[in-house]
């Protein structure tokens, strides 16, 4: 399934011949993944309903402490996002905190303080722990929070496994020849987060669009966020020998890895970055279409993320290194709250 919107976002506007973009096969592969997750995470699945009608297997005090630990981690490391979760129902809050903590711990395997000890065996063990979590055998308290979340919401293991696959890509790949390769990486490490969280956030009862459309919007938000992170962190990644910019597109502007490592801002670099920013914004435009289709109580953190990351792109345009201060981050919350109150559109424009 290849939609017009997807085709538009792959090729940057204004210079359609500059970026070859994704092949139809590349788009179709991601579509199939999304369709599979939508089917498995649907509340209409009778087996899921049966599982979630059972009582939790954890002692109330223990699991409350586990979620409290997740809350503290989220509040410390993702302050703006955390504040956005406070309008959600208690059960949804706890679930989102648990998912955030698992994703953070997964990312730190590769980029955290103990990354030097990373090996294929570490990721294999982490994937085994993930399977244990989904089967109700948590290794520690933070795992238990996610295990309880899996028990309470129709989460499928596929997006979680795919995120681990993204970590594997990071251990064996430091260059991306084309945007097709980079798009797949962005799906693994960030698009998957959207697929994990939609069943927790819920879809508004009055929404008239398909679940598949809303899941795609969540996917686009994750990919837009990751593309923005890449543009923001070009210098830091270069210090670690990593270049997450499509090599063929760098060449289109007469740039090479040497230019990336030099960290000199030339006219060619500005032109290249301008096109990359246009592409990232295109993903946010598509993500916006689904944000108001979520359950009313869950929209605030999504809109907060959309607005904040758009401001980061603005900062990248205006400066050599994007930085959005805490005051500006907090000022995004009232606007995000206003957008969260909007009713779902009857159609996607």
């Amino acid at each position: 399934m290849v939609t017009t919107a997807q085709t538009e976002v792959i090729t940057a506007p204004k210079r359609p011949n500059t970026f070859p973009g994704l092949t139809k096969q590349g788009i179709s592969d991601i579509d199939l993944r999304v369709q599979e997750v939508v089917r498995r995470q649907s509340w209409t699945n009778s087996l899921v309903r049966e599982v979630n009608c059972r009582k939790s297997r954890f002692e109330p005090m223990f699991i409350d402490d586990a979620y409290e630990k997740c809350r503290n981690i989220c509040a410390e490391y993702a302050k703006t996002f955390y504040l956005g979760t406070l309008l959600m129902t208690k059960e949804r809050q706890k679930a989102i905190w648990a998912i955030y903590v698992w994703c953070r711990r997964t990312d730190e395997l590769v980029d955290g303080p103990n990354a030097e000890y990373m090996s294929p065996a570490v990721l294999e063990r982490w994937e085994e722990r993930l399977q244990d979590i989904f089967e109700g055998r948590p290794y520690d308290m933070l795992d238990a929070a996610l295990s309880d979340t899996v028990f309470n919401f129709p989460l499928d293991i596929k997006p979680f496994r795919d995120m681990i696959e993204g970590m594997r890509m990071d251990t064996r790949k430091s260059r991306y020849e084309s945007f097709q390769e980079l798009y797949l990486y962005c799906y693994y490490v960030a698009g998957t987060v959207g697929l994990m969280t939609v069943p927790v956030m819920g879809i508004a009862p009055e929404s008239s669009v398909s679940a598949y459309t809303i899941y795609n919007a969540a996917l686009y938000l994750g990919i837009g966020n990751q593309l923005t992170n890449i543009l923001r962190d070009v210098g830091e990644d270069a210090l670690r020998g990593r270049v997450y910019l499509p090599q063929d597109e760098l060449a289109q502007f007469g740039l090479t890895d040497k230019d990336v490592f030099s960290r000199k801002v030339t006219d060619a670099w500005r032109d290249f970055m301008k096109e990359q920013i246009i592409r990232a914004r295109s993903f946010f435009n598509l993500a916006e279409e689904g944000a108001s289709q979520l359950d009313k109580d869950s929209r605030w953190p999504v809109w907060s993320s959309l607005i904040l990351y758009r401001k980061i792109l603005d900062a990248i345009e205006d400066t050599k290194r994007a930085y959005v201060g805490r005051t500006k981050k907090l000022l995004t919350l009232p606007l995000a709250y206003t957008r969260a109150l909007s009713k779902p559109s009857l159609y996607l424009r």
Side-chain angles (χ1 to χ4, degrees):
M1 181 183 299
V2 183
T3 65
T4 301
Q6 286 170 312
T7 304
E8 288 175 353
V9 81
I10 298 310
T11 304
K14 297 184 180 180
R15 296 180 63 167
N17 296 323
T18 301
F19 299 124
L22 295 179
T23 65
K24 291 183 178 181
Q25 184 60 45
I27 297 173
S28 298
D29 287 346
I30 300 299
D31 278 341
L32 290 175
R33 292 173 188 270
V34 175
Q35 290 172 11
E36 179 184 7
V37 171
V38 172
R39 178 179 59 81
R40 291 185 177 184
Q41 293 187 159
S42 172
W43 275 115
T44 59
N45 185 301
S46 60
L47 180 59
V48 168
R49 287 203 308 270
E50 179 183 339
V51 168
N52 284 279
C53 284
R54 298 181 302 181
K55 293 182 179 180
S56 173
R57 67 191 70 187
F58 300 110
E59 291 294 328
M61 288 185 63
F62 169 80
I63 202 62
D64 286 347
D65 287 344
Y67 280 122
E68 181 64 14
K69 285 184 178 292
C70 291
R71 184 191 72 79
N72 290 335
I73 293 171
C74 189
E76 179 177 357
Y77 294 102
K79 294 179 176 64
T80 305
F81 178 78
Y82 167 74
L83 291 174
T85 66
L86 297 183
L87 283 185
M88 302 173 74
T89 64
K90 293 296 183 183
E91 288 304 310
R92 285 175 172 167
Q93 282 179 3
K94 293 187 294 185
I96 291 297
W97 299 335
I99 292 172
Y100 168 82
V101 167
W102 184 86
C103 292
R104 180 177 179 81
R105 295 175 86 189
T106 301
D107 180 69
E108 286 190 337
L109 293 174
V110 174
D111 288 330
N114 295 317
E116 61 183 293
Y117 303 109
M118 169 53 55
S119 70
V122 171
L123 289 174
E124 288 296 329
R125 174 57 189 143
W126 191 250
E127 190 161 4
E128 291 172 3
R129 278 182 61 168
L130 175 66
Q131 185 67 44
D132 288 341
I133 288 170
F134 271 74
E135 293 178 0
R137 299 190 302 272
Y139 179 79
D140 60 19
M141 185 173 280
L142 297 177
D143 283 358
L146 182 58
S147 190
D148 190 66
T149 294
V150 170
F151 196 84
N152 292 323
F153 293 90
L155 301 184
D156 184 63
I157 198 172
K158 178 64 174 173
F160 295 84
R161 283 179 171 159
D162 281 350
M163 177 171 278
I164 296 174
E165 184 60 30
M167 300 304 111
R168 290 193 178 97
M169 288 184 71
D170 253 339
T171 63
R172 61 177 182 250
K173 194 175 182 68
S174 60
R175 300 292 187 279
Y176 293 83
E177 293 302 319
S178 66
F179 184 65
Q180 176 153 343
E181 290 187 6
L182 184 62
Y183 180 81
L184 183 61
Y185 170 75
C186 290
Y187 161 75
Y188 279 134
V189 301
T192 49
V193 178
L195 304 187
M196 296 173 192
T197 54
V198 168
V200 174
M201 293 185 169
I203 297 173
E206 63 270 30
S207 174
S208 61
V209 303
S210 68
Y212 174 73
T213 298
I214 296 170
Y215 271 82
N216 260 337
L219 171 69
Y220 296 145
L221 177 58
I223 290 176
N225 286 354
Q226 186 62 25
L227 290 175
T228 302
N229 288 339
I230 288 169
L231 299 180
R232 180 194 63 194
D233 299 336
V234 167
E236 293 177 13
D237 290 332
L239 291 175
R240 297 184 295 169
R242 297 180 182 178
V243 178
Y244 290 100
L245 303 170
Q247 295 288 308
D248 58 351
E249 296 176 12
L250 283 168
Q252 289 284 339
F253 289 85
L255 300 169
T256 65
D257 284 356
K258 184 178 179 180
D259 297 291
V260 178
F261 294 144
S262 73
R263 306 179 74 170
K264 292 182 180 178
V265 180
T266 62
D267 288 341
W269 178 258
R270 290 189 185 94
D271 291 341
F272 170 78
M273 289 293 284
K274 179 180 178 180
E275 299 296 346
Q276 302 299 314
I277 290 170
I278 288 173
R279 175 186 279 155
R281 283 180 175 146
S282 297
F283 277 101
F284 290 139
N285 291 341
L286 291 178
E288 182 175 332
E289 304 289 10
S292 294
Q293 307 296 323
L294 296 172
D295 190 85
K296 181 179 66 176
D297 295 336
S298 301
R299 295 173 200 159
W300 197 15
V302 177
W303 277 110
S304 298
S305 179
L306 262 171
I307 294 172
L308 174 59
Y309 270 80
R310 279 173 166 160
K311 286 186 177 295
I312 293 174
L313 287 177
D314 293 341
I316 293 172
E317 277 190 319
D318 295 338
T319 64
K320 293 181 181 179
R321 169 63 162 83
Y323 176 73
V324 178
R326 185 179 182 186
T327 300
K328 288 187 176 180
K329 288 180 180 180
L330 293 176
L331 288 175
T332 67
L333 292 173
L335 177 58
Y337 178 70
T338 301
R339 299 300 297 269
L341 295 178
S342 62
K343 294 182 179 180
S345 302
L346 294 178
Y347 59 91
L348 296 179
R349 64 178 183 274

